[in-house]
């Protein structure tokens, strides 16, 4: 009976992973709880995976990868993509794979893909190629490259830990490099020479989502008509707002009353809020308009004189909500977005969908793009945040370029010490983390955002059955 019950729970876990009704970390916790409730493992055994050295190793590798990305070390190598890419799809994919594969053998896939995403978009824009033709190969090349070494992916590290727990010993750093290289080579050849005709060409969708310089269209935002505005008392039609700016007014909110279409004859009152749909360029023009205010920025300036005086040091960026973000299902207000990230959400882009909810009441979904403004330092901090993917092309000077050589040297030290068995991979990686902080490659507060906390519960599967 015990065997059948165990197999049933394993099948349930596989089913939940496939249908993706719940995040993988939640599935891991559900499985551990079921095993404990049915008496298949003890409570101590159900959480024993967290004491496994593989868990700490995975966390350390996430932090080391973030340090490499934060210093711009990957960016230096990624410039080769633009130089060697050429114009033929096969050459582009082959170049991409040759550069990305070896990097992801030692650095976390997510950090690598996050850095290469704007580079690939820029490349496709120059070559007038659909971004989907290269983003899919980028993803597969990163996965295939991660199979080359034990530290290439968190899964490999966990498998090594499970092997040690079962009495077979840990995997050496290059334990399956030979088969990994064969798999990577065959996969890359397939992607470069056989896959291009099969890859989708989603140029229209891509242009809507990631057009040139990430000038996303169809943003939802809120505009305030302040006291003293020349627009007060005018109708929406006579204000000529839709002529001066390329925007659609979906709703007017005045004195806690919401007015729906048709709105052309509605008079604008002081403190009226216009719920609008517009593009990024016009939205930023509105920021400079004396008679209009972007409501989120107005609220921020009103709350703090310091925030108002710091606007000169602010920049605007676009961030994507990835599939594994903890922000999915929450509103901007619920998560206290501005206090949490020190940036203000100016607008939300959600594909072709139109929502007439207030900005603070929109529940975030996977694929939403937020137009945010804030201090440059705060925007830089979003580069290693796992809940948000910074889409705007990174400023080269924003990276800690002077620390790039140090970060690379530390990572090489971790790899060499593990390869020659001078130190266990856990110890060498933790030493690497400490050195990254002591040398200034990574700030202590950046460590927490570097870790993929949704991956950490997966050691529950190391529980002995």
């Amino acid at each position: 009976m015990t065997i059948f019950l165990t197999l049933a729970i394993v099948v349930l876990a596989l089913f939940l992973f496939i249908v993706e009704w719940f995040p993988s970390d939640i599935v891991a916790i559900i499985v551990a709880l079921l095993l404990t409730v049915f008496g298949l493992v003890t409570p101590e055994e159900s959480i024993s995976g967290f004491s496994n050295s593989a868990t700490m190793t995975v966390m350390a590798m996430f932090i080391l990868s973030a340090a490499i990305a934060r210093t711009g070390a990957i960016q230096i190598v990624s410039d080769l993509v633009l130089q060697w890419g050429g114009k033929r799809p096969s050459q582009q994919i082959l170049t991409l794979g040759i550069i990305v594969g070896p990097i992801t053998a030692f650095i976390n896939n997510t950090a690598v893909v996050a850095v290469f995403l704007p580079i690939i978009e820029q490349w496709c824009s120059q070559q007038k190629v659909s971004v989907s033709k290269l983003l899919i190969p980028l993803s597969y090349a990163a996965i295939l490259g991660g199979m080359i070494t034990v530290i290439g992916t968190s899964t490999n590290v966990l498998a090594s830990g499970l092997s040690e727990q079962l009495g077979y010993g840990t995997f050496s750093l290059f334990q399956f490099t030979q088969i990994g290289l064969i798999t990577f080579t065959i996969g890359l050849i397939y992607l470069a020479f056989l896959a291009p005709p099969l890859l989708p060409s989603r140029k229209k969708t891509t242009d809507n989502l990631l057009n040139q310089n990430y000038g996303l269209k169809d943003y939802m935002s809120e505009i305030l008509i302040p006291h003293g505005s020349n627009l007060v008392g005018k109708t929406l039609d006579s204000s000529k707002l839709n002529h001066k700016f390329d925007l659609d007014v979906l709703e007017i909110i005045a004195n806690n009353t919401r007015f729906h279409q048709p709105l052309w004859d509605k008079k604008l009152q002081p403190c009226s809020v216009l719920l609008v749909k517009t593009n990024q360029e016009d939205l930023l023009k509105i920021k400079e308009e004396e008679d209009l205010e972007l409501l989120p920025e107005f609220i921020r300036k009103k709350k703090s004189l310091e925030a108002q005086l710091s606007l000169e040091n602010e920049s605007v960026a676009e961030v994507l909500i990835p599939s594994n973000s903890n922000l999915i299902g929450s509103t901007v207000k619920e998560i206290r977005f501005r206090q949490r990230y020190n940036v203000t959400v100016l607008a939300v882009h959600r594909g072709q969908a139109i929502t007439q909810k207030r900005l603070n009441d929109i529940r975030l979904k996977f694929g939403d793009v937020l137009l945010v403004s804030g201090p440059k330092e705060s925007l830089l901090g979003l580069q290693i945040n796992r809940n948000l993917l910074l889409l705007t092309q990174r400023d080269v000077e924003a990276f800690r370029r002077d620390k790039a050589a140090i970060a690379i040297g530390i990572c090489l030290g971790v790899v060499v010490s593990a390869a020659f068995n001078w130190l266990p991979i856990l110890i060498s990686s933790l030493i690497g983390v400490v050195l990254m902080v002591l040398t200034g490659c990574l700030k202590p507060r950046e460590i927490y955002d570097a870790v993929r906390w949704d991956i950490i519960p997966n050691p529950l599967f190391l529980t002995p059955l």
Side-chain angles (χ1 to χ4, degrees):
M1 180 64 182
T2 301
I3 295 177
F4 290 109
L5 190 56
T6 303
L7 289 176
I9 294 176
V10 171
V11 171
L12 174 64
L14 292 175
F15 173 75
L16 292 177
F17 279 132
I18 293 172
V19 298
E20 295 183 339
W21 289 344
F22 307 102
S24 61
D25 49 336
I26 300 299
V27 174
I29 294 174
I30 290 174
V31 170
L33 290 175
L34 289 176
L35 291 172
T36 306
V37 168
F38 287 105
L40 299 174
V41 296
T42 65
E44 291 74 18
E45 290 174 332
S46 68
I47 60 173
S48 62
F50 288 113
S51 64
N52 193 286
S53 61
T55 306
M56 293 301 298
T57 304
V58 170
M59 295 176 64
M61 296 314 299
F62 278 133
I63 297 169
L64 291 175
S65 299
I68 287 288
R70 192 66 184 80
T71 58
I74 303 178
Q75 186 82 17
I76 298 173
V77 179
S78 65
D79 292 340
L80 299 176
V81 174
L82 300 177
Q83 297 177 16
W84 299 345
K87 295 185 177 181
R88 292 181 292 115
S90 296
Q91 181 180 351
Q92 293 169 347
I93 295 174
L94 200 60
T95 300
L96 185 64
I98 291 174
I99 293 176
V100 171
I103 295 176
T104 53
F106 301 98
I107 299 176
N108 177 255
N109 297 355
T110 305
V112 176
V113 172
V115 170
F116 274 87
L117 180 62
I119 296 168
I120 295 303
E121 193 279 333
Q122 177 186 349
W123 189 17
C124 291
S125 177
Q126 293 173 354
Q127 300 293 335
K128 300 188 184 303
V129 177
S130 172
V131 180
S132 60
K133 286 285 188 180
L134 289 179
L135 287 185
I136 294 176
L138 170 64
S139 176
Y140 277 95
I143 294 172
L144 292 169
M147 298 169 60
I148 296 176
T149 67
V150 169
I151 62 174
T153 65
S154 56
T155 308
N156 295 348
V157 178
L158 293 178
S160 178
L162 180 59
S163 174
E164 181 182 23
Q165 187 176 6
L166 295 176
Y168 299 105
T170 58
F171 300 150
S172 64
L173 182 63
F174 301 107
Q175 181 83 42
F176 37 77
T177 296
Q178 291 183 348
I179 187 65
L181 284 172
I182 293 173
T183 304
F184 172 75
T185 302
I186 295 175
L188 183 57
I189 291 174
Y190 174 83
L191 287 172
F193 298 102
L194 298 178
L198 304 176
L199 295 172
S201 181
R202 299 172 180 167
K203 196 161 187 179
K204 290 184 179 180
T205 303
T206 302
D207 288 342
N208 285 336
L209 179 61
L210 292 167
N211 62 3
Q212 190 168 3
N213 296 327
Y214 295 104
L216 300 175
K217 297 181 179 179
D218 297 334
Y219 269 116
M220 303 293 300
S221 187
E222 295 174 326
I223 299 174
L224 176 71
I225 308 295
H227 284 286
S229 171
N230 292 329
L231 301 178
V232 173
K234 294 183 179 180
T235 64
L236 188 59
D237 184 49
S238 62
S239 69
K240 305 297 182 183
L241 282 177
N242 58 337
H243 297 292
K244 188 174 183 179
F245 307 101
D246 183 15
L247 59 80
D248 293 325
V249 180
L250 306 176
E251 198 172 272
I252 297 178
I253 304 170
N255 298 323
N256 294 323
T257 303
R258 306 184 73 144
F259 299 96
H260 305 281
Q261 296 285 355
L263 299 170
W264 60 273
D265 60 341
K266 299 295 182 185
K267 288 188 176 182
L268 301 176
Q269 303 177 29
C271 297
S272 294
V273 176
L274 311 183
L275 188 62
V276 303
K277 181 182 73 171
T278 185
N279 57 55
Q280 176 187 322
E281 183 180 355
D282 282 278
L283 200 58
L284 297 182
K285 287 180 181 178
I286 293 172
K287 280 168 56 71
E288 310 300 326
E289 181 68 29
E290 294 183 359
D291 290 325
L292 297 170
E293 291 269 9
L294 291 181
L295 183 60
E297 281 200 338
F298 177 80
I299 295 174
R300 183 183 181 187
K301 289 187 290 185
K302 186 177 180 180
K303 284 185 176 181
S304 169
L305 177 61
E306 181 182 350
Q308 185 174 2
L309 295 175
S310 67
L311 289 179
E312 293 183 359
N313 190 39
E314 291 198 350
S315 295
V316 175
E318 294 156 341
V319 292
L320 175 75
I321 304 294
S323 60
N324 61 342
S325 174
N326 292 333
L327 307 184
I328 293 176
S330 301
T331 66
V332 173
K333 183 178 181 179
E334 288 174 346
I335 59 180
R336 297 172 62 85
F337 198 96
R338 185 172 63 82
Q339 291 85 348
R340 187 172 183 176
Y341 299 110
N342 196 31
V343 295
T344 302
V345 178
L346 302 180
V348 177
H349 169 80
R350 182 172 289 174
Q352 300 300 315
I354 296 177
T355 176
Q356 292 188 238
K357 291 184 177 180
R358 299 292 300 272
L359 203 58
N360 282 337
D361 297 329
I362 297 177
R363 295 204 171 273
L364 301 176
K365 295 182 179 180
F366 162 54
D368 284 352
V369 180
L370 311 180
L371 184 68
V372 299
S373 70
K376 293 181 180 179
E377 184 177 348
S378 298
L379 295 177
L380 295 178
L382 298 180
Q383 293 179 357
I384 60 170
N385 190 291
R386 58 166 295 272
N387 290 314
L388 298 166
L389 179 60
L390 191 65
L391 292 181
T392 305
Q393 178 68 47
R394 293 158 172 78
D395 185 355
V396 175
E397 296 180 357
F399 294 105
R400 298 173 187 136
R401 290 283 191 177
D402 57 327
K403 306 290 185 181
I406 298 175
I408 293 175
I410 292 173
C411 283
L412 285 176
V414 171
V415 171
V416 170
S417 61
F420 288 95
N421 293 319
W422 294 341
L423 289 172
I425 184 63
L426 170 62
I427 301 302
S428 63
S429 60
L430 288 177
I431 291 175
V433 169
V434 173
L435 290 177
M436 288 292 189
V437 175
L438 293 179
T439 56
C441 295
L442 200 67
K443 294 181 180 179
R445 61 180 174 81
E446 295 173 334
I447 290 177
Y448 302 98
D449 286 334
V451 178
R452 286 278 305 276
W453 296 105
D454 59 321
I455 297 294
I456 300 307
N458 286 336
L460 291 170
F461 289 113
L462 296 176
T463 298
L465 300 180

